[in-house]
Amino acid sequence: MELNKEKIKKSGINPRLAGVLTALFFLCLGFFILWQRYHILVKAEEREMSTIVNIVKQDIDQSLKNSYSAALSLALLINDDGEIGNFEAVAPKILEGNPNIDGLQLVPGGVIRKVYPYQENKEALDYNILQDPSRNKEALRAIKMRKMYFAGPFELRQGGMAVVGRLPVFIRDEFWGFSAVIIKMDHLIHLDRIEDMVKDKYYYQFSKVDITTGEEFNYFPKFSKGNTSYSEVVELPDGDWKFYLATQDQSYLLLSLIPLALLIILLSFWFGWSMTSILKQPLKLQALVKAQAGKLLESELNFRTIFNQAAIGMVRVDTLTGKFIQSNKRYIELLGYTEEELMAMDYKDISYPEDVGINSIRMRQLLNGEIREYSLQKRLVRKDGSLLWIKVTVSPLWQKGEQPTSHIALIEDISDKMQAQEELIHNEKRFRALVENSEEVICIFTQKGQTFYFSPAIERVSGYTESEIRELNLISLMHPDDLDYINAQMEISINTPMVPVSGIACRARHKDGTWKWIEITITNLLEDPAIGGFVANFKDITLRKEVEINLNKSYQLVMDQNRRFLNFSYIVSHNLRSHSSNIEAILTLYHSADSAEEKVTYIELLSKVSTALNQTLMDLNEVVSIQNNIDLSVEPLSVLSYVNQTLDLLEVQVKNKEAVIKKDIPKEMVVVFNSAYLESVLLNFLSNALRYSSSKRIPEISLKGYKLEDKWILEIMDNGVGIDLKRYGDKLFGLYKTFTNKSGSRGVGLFITKNQIDAMGGQVNVESELGIGTTFKISFK
Amino acid sequence: MKKSICVIDDDMIYQLIIGKIISRSGYFHKPLFYKNATKALADFKSLETELPQVILLDINMPQMDGWQFLEALIKERPNLDSETDIYIVTSSIAHSDRLKASTYKQVSGFLSKPITVSKIKEMGVRLK
């Protein structure tokens, strides 16, 4: 590189000097051409001037020739005797033929004798030219030269500037006089025509040379020889005249060349500069090459450093043989082979046998030019035999279209990633197994109830296979009564994303048509891109729910029982205590009695208490027997026949009260009941109806049997005194509760009746209004 | 000066007994008996009627029980607590009844049967 630079320097031309020289050369050449050009212009001008001068000369010559012929014609009027012929007749004709001529004269002996036109020239008549010293020189010269000579120009006697051509006439060699022609200056020199030709470019001058002194008299102003650079002269010997034509100033020619000169200077400089640049080009290129070389060196160094120090393995491989050519430290470290060992191997030697196939295919594609690079994940076998998961990225080191040479492979250790991935797959499998084997169903569904995942447990719970249930809308499987509740829970879930809404117990229809209780936990994972729906876990809680319901029933039953027992124990304690306290009080009184009579009274009282106590004990016994008889024998009984039987027993009372009995009981009304209880129940209600009849009207008792929702109902309606249910409703069926002032009502009947019905699993309700009547409704199990 | 007393109780035997006990005590006139609270209420609800100085009231009675009678009478006579001493006298030993009685300022005492002569004497002494 350095050598090259020297060469260029030695080849010797300093670009700047070459530029200056070039500029000078072109400047000289330019100015030479300019000089030539100037000369051509000058020559052209000279030619033009000469032409003009010639034209002027020709014009004057023509005028003079005409004048000569005119003067000659006029001279011919003179005969040999010197007498003038018919001047007046001929002169006009001559003038007519020569428009340039302004006047004719015949001057015999130097005295103007004949003039034409007369009027204009009469002033000159009789003027002796030869006698006038100011004019005779020229006249004498004509005589002396014996040829026509033009005098003037001068101021005519008769007025106006003109020249006078005088032809000396000799008769027999004897001077006779002159035949003269007057030409006014206007007709001699056609100024307008000259002006037209010269314009402002030239000066012109017309002068007369004094024959004797040689002096020149100029006739036009604006002309002096001093300030002319060039002039053209024509001499007119017939009058000793000279006509000059001169350029006013030739500098304008130079001025006209200034733009061209400037252009030449500019071009010269440009050529000079161009030359410099051209010559400098190699130097620039050289500098560029040097810079590039530096960069190349640097990048090579960088590359070498990267190659060796890179955190990923790098290896250069001969593409055709697969042999390693160059390896970096990392690659050696990864494999555990030494560099020498590695250089003797090819890529197949260290590839895991299963992975060689795909690698070979890719390599072939690379060789064929089908692909320009590839990367794949494969396993390598380390020197110690262990496997290494790597990601290899291969790039060829030849250009497209070139013969394959070698390629570079970048090797990334992805063992950790692969391990993580394997773990992920393992975890996924584990979770899947958990989900799929779980008793709980997991499903993912959209807000509209469409499902896109069900765990296999769905078949156990719903009876539908996964594909069957996906065709169904979940809502259609829900119990209609639970829909509002489910929707409310869904609303909560929609409003609380990511928060599980649990414990949603509802009924869903099994494929076999039965309703199953399920408990659902819904989690709104709409915002989770991996789910994009609601996740519902649910399980069949039918058994639990049934147990719960049964438990609840049992609880109700037990509570009911308990309440009854509490009531009973209260009654027992109260009733028995009232008797015992009475006994106690009587005994106290007895002991402190003053007299024997008084003591007898107390004994009598005591026996009354004893009777009452006995009665109470009997009542309680009856109650207890009902409460205890859980396993009482039951049988189907015809209600109608039992009603009839009971009415027979009450025949006397019915008669006494003159009561009207109405029966509307179907024969098929058969209930499962204990026979003694049914008798007791019917007797109680009917005797009550009779006992509490109103004295204001005829007692009327109607019995009606009918079926309501698969249950037999027996209605016993009377028009008796009625019961104030607001006051006594809660006590109606209580023990020892009486609601009338009638004697004989002990408050035991309804209590026992109710217990008997309860024991048979039935129910009894009452509707009543004071003074109108009472209706008892017995509902049989 | 003997005081007036009234017994409301449906137990006829008890009425006989309490009558003896009250006369033994010597503080009261022969008591006014009601076996039915409805009847007693009908007699007492008029403000013009002067109440007995002591009322012994049973709880467990048919038709209208002691509590109902008390409520109704309080409604009729707003100043009941200054007009008479009402004692609940019952064979009940239920604690709930005793508690309920204590919520009425109109109730001067809660007594379990049997009642002794000394208890009646205390009532008499208290009136003096």
Side-chain angles (χ1 to χ4, degrees):
Chain A
M1 286 292 142
E2 290 298 317
L3 275 174
N4 277 348
K5 196 181 173 183
E6 285 305 306
K7 256 185 211 167
I8 287 168
K9 267 196 172 170
K10 273 178 189 167
S11 70
I13 310 154
N14 182 331
R16 212 164 291 165
L17 181 65
V20 171
L21 288 177
T22 309
L24 277 175
F25 170 73
F26 279 103
L27 209 57
C28 292
L29 189 66
F31 276 98
F32 175 71
I33 292 165
L34 214 58
W35 174 249
Q36 293 289 323
R37 170 77 184 151
Y38 178 69
H39 275 273
I40 288 164
L41 284 176
V42 168
K43 283 275 185 274
E45 197 165 68
E46 281 173 10
R47 256 198 311 280
E48 196 187 356
M49 285 167 77
S50 137
T51 309
I52 293 168
V53 165
N54 282 331
I55 289 168
V56 172
K57 190 184 178 226
Q58 273 167 22
D59 279 1
I60 295 170
D61 278 349
Q62 189 64 43
S63 283
L64 297 183
K65 268 174 198 155
N66 287 347
S67 305
Y68 181 73
S69 60
L72 203 61
S73 300
L74 198 60
L76 287 177
L77 289 177
I78 304 156
N79 62 20
D80 288 351
D81 299 326
E83 286 165 1
I84 298 160
N86 193 6
F87 176 82
E88 279 75 20
V90 177
K93 282 180 185 168
I94 294 170
L95 268 190
E96 217 170 285
N98 296 287
N100 287 339
I101 297 167
D102 296 291
L104 296 170
Q105 291 178 338
L106 278 176
V107 192
V111 181
I112 297 167
R113 293 297 179 197
K114 292 278 182 188
V115 291
Y116 183 83
Y118 179 77
Q119 278 301 323
E120 287 151 37
N121 297 298
K122 61 183 180 185
E123 297 290 320
L125 280 175
D126 299 329
Y127 170 59
N128 191 337
I129 305 158
L130 295 173
Q131 297 294 315
D132 186 341
S134 66
R135 297 280 173 89
N136 62 5
K137 274 184 206 165
E138 284 163 313
L140 289 174
R141 180 176 168 88
I143 297 165
K144 189 183 168 188
M145 282 167 70
R146 286 183 159 241
K147 67 176 225 182
M148 194 165 182
Y149 183 77
F150 288 86
F154 48 70
E155 187 73 31
L156 291 177
R157 271 180 101 92
Q158 62 269 42
M161 284 292 276
V163 294
V164 180
R166 294 185 183 109
L167 178 72
V169 182
F170 295 87
I171 301 172
R172 283 170 304 270
D173 220 14
E174 214 38 55
F175 177 72
W176 176 84
F178 297 107
S179 169
V181 177
I182 301 166
I183 304 167
K184 289 201 172 158
M185 277 306 279
D186 295 344
H187 283 131
L188 182 68
I189 298 168
H190 298 284
L191 274 177
D192 50 346
R193 199 165 150 199
I194 294 168
E195 288 283 349
D196 199 36
M197 282 189 292
V198 303
K199 301 198 177 83
D200 286 335
K201 267 166 87 182
Y202 310 114
Y203 296 111
Y204 57 86
Q205 187 58 277
F206 191 72
S207 68
K208 176 87 178 182
V209 184
D210 193 308
I211 312 150
T212 48
T213 61
E215 264 180 85
E216 269 188 67
F217 297 97
N218 292 335
Y219 288 92
F220 296 113
K222 306 192 279 179
F223 184 84
S224 83
K225 277 184 181 172
N227 59 6
T228 59
S229 54
Y230 176 79
S231 62
E232 193 78 18
V233 186
V234 66
E235 288 183 13
L236 296 157
D238 289 341
D240 287 322
W241 294 314
K242 279 186 180 173
F243 183 79
Y244 294 90
L245 194 65
T247 54
Q248 291 172 344
D249 185 1
Q250 277 186 313
S251 60
Y252 73 91
L253 279 176
L254 287 172
L255 286 173
S256 74
L257 291 173
I258 285 172
L260 197 58
L262 287 174
L263 184 67
I264 286 165
I265 292 166
L266 229 63
L267 277 172
S268 303
F269 279 108
W270 185 76
F271 282 132
W273 179 80
S274 298
M275 178 58 82
T276 311
S277 317
I278 287 164
L279 289 176
K280 273 185 176 171
Q281 208 63 22
L283 279 175
K284 274 188 188 166
L285 281 172
Q286 198 181 345
L288 203 65
V289 165
K290 193 188 171 192
Q292 292 293 342
K295 275 185 192 166
L296 202 65
L297 214 63
E298 199 182 336
S299 87
E300 196 193 346
L301 195 70
N302 282 345
F303 175 74
R304 194 174 294 280
T305 313
I306 290 166
F307 189 80
N308 283 326
Q309 305 299 321
I312 57 171
M314 286 185 182
V315 64
R316 199 152 69 85
V317 185
D318 185 317
T319 313
L320 292 170
T321 62
K323 289 234 182 264
F324 299 120
I325 301 170
Q326 199 180 358
S327 159
N328 74 345
K329 275 187 210 157
R330 177 65 180 150
Y331 192 52
I332 291 164
E333 277 168 19
L334 280 176
L335 289 172
Y337 289 103
T338 65
E339 192 168 3
E340 290 72 35
E341 284 170 330
L342 206 60
M343 290 305 119
M345 300 169 105
D346 67 27
Y347 77 91
K348 286 180 185 166
D349 296 335
I350 55 156
S351 295
Y352 185 64
E354 273 182 33
D355 299 340
V356 171
I358 178 74
N359 207 348
S360 304
I361 291 167
R362 289 276 177 274
M363 194 72 94
R364 219 169 12 254
Q365 287 174 325
L366 197 71
L367 273 169
N368 296 342
E370 288 169 41
I371 52 173
R372 277 302 286 168
E373 62 171 26
Y374 68 84
S375 78
L376 56 88
Q377 296 186 353
K378 58 181 264 189
R379 283 157 288 184
L380 295 182
V381 186
R382 285 203 185 94
K383 191 179 182 182
D384 63 11
S386 61
L387 290 182
L388 178 71
W389 266 105
I390 58 146
K391 183 187 171 192
V392 60
T393 305
V394 171
S395 307
L397 291 174
W398 67 87
Q399 292 298 313
K400 217 170 182 177
E402 284 179 0
Q403 277 300 308
T405 52
S406 60
H407 63 258
I408 193 149
L410 307 183
I411 292 97
E412 213 178 324
D413 179 359
I414 54 164
S415 317
D416 290 348
K417 201 176 107 185
M418 292 305 285
Q419 201 178 336
Q421 203 169 321
E422 255 171 53
E423 213 158 290
L424 202 69
I425 291 167
H426 182 69
N427 276 346
E428 209 261 332
K429 274 185 187 164
R430 197 165 57 204
F431 281 122
R432 185 171 285 278
L434 279 175
V435 166
E436 288 181 354
N437 294 306
S438 165
E439 279 299 314
E440 279 199 18
V441 179
I442 294 168
C443 87
I444 304 173
F445 63 97
T446 65
Q447 206 162 332
K448 287 176 181 167
Q450 286 162 325
T451 54
F452 47 90
Y453 175 77
F454 266 110
S455 66
I458 187 67
E459 202 170 343
R460 287 198 292 275
V461 173
S462 72
Y464 292 103
T465 64
E466 206 183 319
S467 54
E468 280 172 338
I469 202 156
R470 277 207 215 179
E471 300 295 312
L472 301 168
N473 191 303
L474 285 186
I475 297 298
S476 70
L477 294 179
M478 296 299 166
H479 196 286
D481 292 353
D482 294 343
L483 283 181
D484 286 346
Y485 169 65
I486 292 167
N487 284 333
Q489 296 298 313
M490 274 301 294
E491 199 66 36
I492 293 169
S493 182
I494 288 165
N495 293 329
T496 54
M498 319 302 271
V499 179
V501 178
S502 53
I504 306 167
C506 57
R507 284 157 289 179
R509 201 177 60 239
H510 191 270
K511 195 181 181 183
D512 66 15
T514 58
W515 289 104
K516 296 281 184 187
W517 275 99
I518 54 173
E519 189 179 84
I520 317 176
T521 298
I522 297 174
T523 312
N524 173 357
L525 292 177
L526 283 171
E527 287 167 16
D528 186 338
I531 306 290
F534 294 87
V535 174
N537 304 29
F538 58 89
K539 55 187 172 195
D540 186 348
I541 55 159
T542 309
L543 279 176
R544 202 184 85 190
K545 199 73 189 177
E546 273 170 7
V547 167
E548 200 176 289
I549 290 166
N550 286 338
L551 199 68
N552 205 27
K553 273 187 193 163
S554 307
Y555 174 75
Q556 285 302 326
L557 205 71
V558 169
M559 283 303 286
D560 221 36
Q561 200 94 329
N562 197 39
R563 195 170 40 74
R564 282 211 301 274
F565 278 123
L566 258 177
N567 192 25
F568 183 70
S569 72
Y570 182 83
I571 289 161
V572 169
S573 77
H574 178 265
N575 286 287
L576 293 182
R577 258 194 59 81
S578 64
H579 295 302
S580 71
S581 66
N582 280 346
I583 291 166
E584 203 182 331
I586 289 164
L587 288 177
T588 313
L589 288 170
Y590 177 85
H591 287 303
S592 59
D594 298 330
S595 62
E597 293 89 49
E598 202 183 342
K599 283 189 173 172
V600 172
T601 334
Y602 291 136
I603 295 300
E604 282 167 5
L605 261 178
L606 212 52
S607 90
K608 274 185 184 170
V609 172
S610 157
T611 314
L613 178 61
N614 198 37
Q615 178 64 49
T616 302
L617 285 174
M618 271 162 56
D619 290 344
L620 291 178
N621 187 47
E622 197 173 351
V623 172
V624 167
S625 72
I626 298 163
Q627 304 271 1
N628 284 348
N629 279 338
I630 290 164
D631 298 321
L632 216 60
S633 68
V634 291
E635 55 197 308
L637 304 170
S638 162
V639 176
L640 184 60
S641 60
Y642 273 78
V643 167
N644 289 335
Q645 203 178 306
T646 312
L647 286 172
D648 286 347
L649 284 173
L650 295 168
E651 203 185 342
V652 184
Q653 285 93 320
V654 173
K655 247 180 197 162
N656 285 345
K657 294 267 181 181
E658 295 175 343
V660 180
I661 309 289
K662 288 181 179 171
K663 283 180 291 179
D664 180 15
I665 300 164
K667 273 186 182 158
E668 61 271 23
M669 186 175 175
V670 173
V671 298
V672 178
F673 220 83
N674 178 275
S675 120
Y677 281 8
L678 190 56
E679 272 175 33
S680 159
V681 167
L682 289 172
L683 187 64
N684 224 315
F685 281 126
L686 288 171
S687 58
N688 271 350
L690 288 167
R691 189 184 298 157
Y692 303 114
S693 59
S694 169
S695 53
K696 290 169 188 161
R697 48 188 175 261
I698 298 166
E700 195 176 296
I701 302 166
S702 51
L703 295 129
K704 208 197 270 177
Y706 56 91
K707 227 169 184 176
L708 186 75
E709 288 173 3
D710 285 347
K711 281 180 180 171
W712 281 108
I713 310 282
L714 181 65
E715 239 178 61
I716 301 160
M717 188 168 82
D718 65 45
N719 59 350
V721 292
I723 306 158
D724 186 351
L725 287 178
K726 269 184 201 156
R727 245 170 116 175
Y728 307 114
D730 54 333
K731 293 177 187 164
L732 192 59
F733 298 104
L735 188 57
Y736 297 118
K737 305 291 177 186
T738 56
F739 315 104
T740 64
N741 296 321
K742 293 237 179 209
S743 58
S745 63
R746 291 189 294 118
V748 176
L750 276 178
F751 175 80
I752 287 168
T753 305
K754 166 97 165 83
N755 275 288
Q756 284 171 338
I757 294 169
D758 282 351
M760 290 292 109
Q763 275 181 311
V764 62
N765 291 308
V766 64
E767 287 166 18
S768 183
E769 210 173 316
L770 268 178
I772 304 253
T774 307
T775 306
F776 287 98
K777 274 185 193 172
I778 308 158
S779 164
F780 295 95
K781 191 168 100 177
Chain B
M1 183 68 191
K2 286 191 175 177
K3 315 292 176 196
S4 60
I5 189 166
C6 164
V7 175
I8 305 173
D9 200 309
D10 62 326
D11 187 341
M12 294 311 289
I13 297 168
Y14 168 75
Q15 282 192 8
L16 287 173
I17 295 163
I18 196 71
K20 293 280 180 196
I21 291 168
I22 288 166
S23 76
R24 280 268 185 97
S25 77
Y27 277 89
F28 294 95
H29 290 293
K30 194 177 185 307
L32 184 60
F33 287 111
Y34 289 100
K35 67 164 190 169
N36 179 322
T38 319
K39 181 77 176 47
L41 185 64
D43 284 356
F44 292 161
K45 71 180 177 187
S46 168
L47 282 171
E48 285 158 25
T49 314
E50 200 182 328
L51 291 181
Q53 284 166 296
V54 173
I55 297 174
L56 304 182
L57 179 64
D58 186 21
I59 292 173
N60 278 288
M61 289 181 288
Q63 274 186 302
M64 177 182 279
D65 66 18
W67 302 123
Q68 285 169 328
F69 170 80
L70 197 58
E71 291 285 344
L73 194 61
I74 289 165
K75 211 180 267 176
E76 297 294 341
R77 309 186 79 115
N79 299 320
L80 186 66
D81 57 328
S82 60
E83 286 178 304
T84 179
D85 287 351
I86 297 175
Y87 293 90
I88 300 288
V89 181
T90 176
S91 54
S92 165
I93 48 167
H95 189 64
S96 61
D97 285 336
R98 187 178 285 276
L99 271 182
K100 191 172 179 179
S102 70
T103 63
Y104 291 97
K105 63 174 180 180
Q106 293 86 353
V107 174
S108 305
F110 183 92
L111 304 168
S112 282
K113 288 179 186 174
I115 296 220
T116 54
V117 177
S118 59
K119 282 265 170 56
I120 300 294
K121 279 183 179 169
E122 277 172 31
M123 292 176 198
V125 171
R126 222 181 123 180
L127 279 172
K128 275 183 177 171

